[in-house]
Amino acid sequence: MSTLSIKATCDSRGQDSSYFVGLQEYEMNPYDEINNPDGIIQMGLAENQLSFDLLETWLEENPDASRFKRNQESIFRELALFQDYHGLPSFKNALVRFMSEIRGNKVRFDPNKLVLTAGATSANETLIFCLADPGDAFLLPTPYYPGFDRDLKWRTGVEIVPIQCSSSNGFKITAPALEEAFQLAQITCNLKVKGILVTNPSNPLGKTLTRNELDLLLNFIHIKGIHLISDEIYSGTVFNSPRFVSIMEVSDKKNLRVHIVYSLSKDLGLPGFRVGAIYSNDPTVVSAATKMSSFGLVSSHTQSLLSAMLSDKKFTKNYIVENKKRLKRRHAVVVRGLKMAGISCLESNSGLFCWVDVRHLLSSQTFEAEMELWRKILYDIRLNISPGSSCHCLEPGWFRVCFANMSEETLNLAIQRIKTFVHTVSCRKGSNIIGFNYYNSSKNSRSTKSVGNWVFRLSYSQGCER
């Protein structure tokens, strides 16, 4: 008999999907231009490294912020001793100003309604603990971030019921899909629905929710008497129109159960700092979440450093504008490169990734064929991208491709690998290519000429199943 808990000994923590497998495979064989040029290029991690130089320049120009000093006086003792889990007032004030600035100052945030957490993962889980009991359900529109299967369910015991969205309307949320998910949860699965969670801008779609979708969600939760969590950690990555509209901008004057999750992991590119936040107009939720936050606090030193950085209005203004410009340029490089390989992307305006349509590369329109293609891309082409099935996409053949976590040179290499792969395995209708290996074929692929109206067909030998 095991002496450990059920949670400690369970086989899965929501991390058995291809999304997490891809991350693990990358760790075992990471690409390096010098030491491992044939390694796996990481395109499955949504990190923003495009504006690191702006952060580093600020640190160089403001050395006291990272040296435990204020006005050249040491504040080491002040930061090292016990801190209230409500957080440093200076940091909370600076953070809510930054959140407002990202949203074009269309909405103001009250620091007293803000709860600090150790990243967005902690924020989402804490909200679920506050709003639901084990066995209750939250509705999530598909496709959604694969980590939610771990973050929202593992410790809370809450179930996820998908709101099925399709490519026919650009994966928009519809009233019939909302009602169908609600009925599936309550009638078929006998689950009590406590709320809806959306990511806006969407991960993995890379697009903002429309005003119609926001109004639809607000009306739905009002009628059903449930909560809405809007995960807005990508709100500062909107680089094209339409502009980002926060749920607080359209619900502020309505007495609705609406809550925001935010983080500095994506907009500021600081996932290692573990800075997340919950914002809610419900004082009971704020009080309970604040108490729970003692299990995952943000260090005082981190708060002090970021308080100084975010209080520098000249820096934040320049950073927000420049970061969006860089994301827009990088996004264009990816879309253009994939288009040259005969691959299209869902039209998007935000995020650190593209939602890529490779349905024409599947050997059949099945999820089994999608997984075969994913294995080929991961192990032969050596690119880690996330298959749509890991995001619970309703249709096989969509993949999430991240583009902001690498140098431009590495990105160009990744695109070239994709082009070479597609050009090599493409063939006239009726051909059959078996056991293709990128590294054995890449030299010959340079002479492959572009042929219009290709019919793509992929088949695999048993040897490529790993």
Side-chain angles (χ1 to χ4, degrees):
M1 180 180 295
S2 174
T3 59
L4 302 178
S5 71
I6 293 175
K7 286 198 187 312
T9 56
C10 68
D11 292 332
S12 174
R13 298 174 177 85
Q15 294 189 186
D16 54 354
S17 76
S18 50
Y19 167 76
F20 288 105
V21 171
L23 296 178
Q24 293 166 3
E25 290 296 321
Y26 166 78
E27 291 296 332
M28 292 187 288
N29 185 24
Y31 166 80
D32 183 88
E33 182 181 4
I34 303 300
N35 299 317
N36 192 22
D38 290 340
I40 296 172
I41 296 177
Q42 178 63 283
M43 305 188 83
L45 189 62
E47 281 187 347
N48 183 9
Q49 299 183 23
L50 300 187
S51 299
F52 248 55
D53 60 310
L54 302 180
L55 302 174
E56 291 169 335
T57 297
W58 187 90
L59 289 171
E60 291 173 1
E61 295 174 350
N62 299 270
D64 281 1
S66 58
R67 294 178 183 173
F68 305 102
K69 290 184 177 182
R70 183 190 303 123
N71 299 324
Q72 298 184 339
E73 296 289 330
S74 174
I75 56 171
F76 174 77
R77 182 182 294 270
E78 175 185 330
L79 297 176
L81 297 178
F82 175 78
Q83 296 289 340
D84 191 309
Y85 50 53
H86 288 79
L88 299 181
S90 60
F91 175 59
K92 294 179 75 173
N93 287 328
L95 183 58
V96 295
R97 284 196 299 269
F98 185 66
M99 291 169 62
S100 294
E101 188 176 6
I102 281 176
R103 292 159 178 80
N105 292 312
K106 299 288 185 180
V107 59
R108 301 288 182 179
F109 295 97
D110 181 351
N112 295 315
K113 298 178 179 180
L114 190 79
V115 180
L116 299 179
T117 63
T121 298
S122 177
N124 276 309
E125 186 192 52
T126 298
L127 265 180
I128 297 297
F129 270 125
C130 289
L131 305 180
D133 294 310
D136 290 341
F138 261 78
L139 311 181
L140 272 67
T142 62
Y144 62 78
Y145 165 56
F148 282 148
D149 292 318
R150 171 199 62 190
D151 302 349
L152 307 184
K153 294 173 56 177
W154 181 40
R155 297 200 300 182
T156 66
V158 166
E159 298 296 332
I160 293 176
V161 176
I163 302 167
Q164 299 289 9
C165 304
S166 75
S167 62
S168 61
N169 68 347
F171 297 97
K172 289 186 175 66
I173 301 170
T174 65
L178 281 172
E179 187 60 41
E180 183 180 354
F182 190 86
Q183 294 300 322
L184 174 65
Q186 294 225 133
I187 306 302
T188 306
C189 301
N190 196 30
L191 299 171
K192 184 177 182 181
V193 177
K194 298 304 290 287
I196 300 171
L197 187 149
V198 297
T199 55
N200 185 28
S202 168
N203 175 11
L205 299 179
K207 57 186 292 189
T208 50
L209 292 178
T210 65
R211 182 61 184 265
N212 286 340
E213 288 176 287
L214 294 174
D215 288 338
L216 175 65
L217 289 166
L218 292 175
N219 289 334
F220 189 83
I221 66 165
H222 174 67
I223 293 170
K224 303 296 186 182
I226 59 177
H227 297 267
L228 175 62
I229 299 174
S230 182
D231 187 330
E232 300 184 355
I233 65 171
Y234 291 98
S235 53
T237 69
V238 181
F239 49 79
N240 270 334
S241 61
R243 73 171 182 87
F244 172 70
V245 179
S246 171
I247 196 66
M248 285 298 175
E249 186 177 335
V250 294
S251 67
D252 193 41
K253 296 181 180 179
K254 301 176 183 179
N255 187 25
L256 296 173
R257 302 169 180 175
V258 175
H259 321 277
I260 282 181
V261 165
Y262 186 61
S263 167
L264 296 180
S265 297
K266 311 301 182 181
D267 290 349
L268 214 58
L270 298 174
F273 277 36
R274 308 310 307 147
V275 178
I278 295 167
Y279 189 86
S280 176
N281 287 323
D282 188 326
T284 303
V285 170
V286 172
S287 176
T290 301
K291 295 181 180 70
M292 291 184 186
S293 71
S294 64
F295 297 101
L297 297 174
V298 182
S299 77
S300 299
H301 180 233
T302 298
Q303 291 186 55
S304 176
L305 170 62
L306 294 178
S307 174
M309 180 180 288
L310 298 183
S311 295
D312 187 336
K313 295 181 180 179
K314 181 179 179 181
F315 166 77
T316 57
K317 181 179 180 179
N318 176 68
Y319 180 91
I320 291 171
V321 172
E322 182 61 24
N323 185 57
K324 289 182 178 182
K325 287 181 180 178
R326 296 181 184 189
L327 286 171
K328 183 175 182 176
R329 288 196 297 266
R330 181 59 66 86
H331 174 267
V333 169
V334 175
V335 172
R336 183 169 58 249
L338 292 175
K339 184 177 181 180
M340 292 176 64
I343 296 173
S344 63
C345 303
L346 182 74
E347 185 175 353
S348 58
N349 67 333
S350 54
L352 312 175
F353 30 72
C354 292
W355 189 238
V356 177
D357 183 2
V358 293
R359 288 175 290 182
H360 60 294
L361 293 178
L362 299 182
S363 58
S364 63
Q365 294 304 306
T366 64
F367 287 110
E368 290 78 11
E370 178 182 277
M371 294 309 294
E372 287 178 347
L373 179 60
W374 170 71
R375 293 186 187 98
K376 183 66 62 177
I377 293 171
L378 179 63
Y379 295 113
D380 285 352
I381 316 310
R382 300 187 188 176
L383 301 177
N384 177 36
I385 63 177
S386 304
S389 55
S390 70
C391 304
H392 299 269
C393 184
L394 185 65
E395 306 164 19
W398 292 87
F399 283 75
R400 189 189 75 165
V401 176
C402 299
F403 57 73
N405 63 333
M406 66 193 76
S407 69
E408 188 168 351
E409 292 76 17
T410 302
L411 178 64
N412 287 333
L413 174 60
I415 292 174
Q416 184 56 51
R417 287 186 183 184
I418 294 172
K419 289 179 181 178
T420 303
F421 172 63
V422 173
H423 288 191
T424 305
V425 301
S426 62
C427 58
R428 297 185 184 277
K429 189 174 182 179
S431 296
N432 187 25
I433 299 174
I434 299 177
F436 167 77
N437 186 288
Y438 169 85
Y439 288 97
N440 292 335
S441 306
S442 58
K443 292 182 180 179
N444 296 330
S445 69
R446 295 174 185 172
S447 62
T448 302
K449 295 182 180 180
S450 177
V451 179
N453 300 317
W454 277 336
V455 176
F456 300 99
R457 176 179 173 87
L458 306 179
S459 62
Y460 305 87
S461 66
Q462 290 298 319
C464 74
E465 300 291 330
R466 307 192 182 193

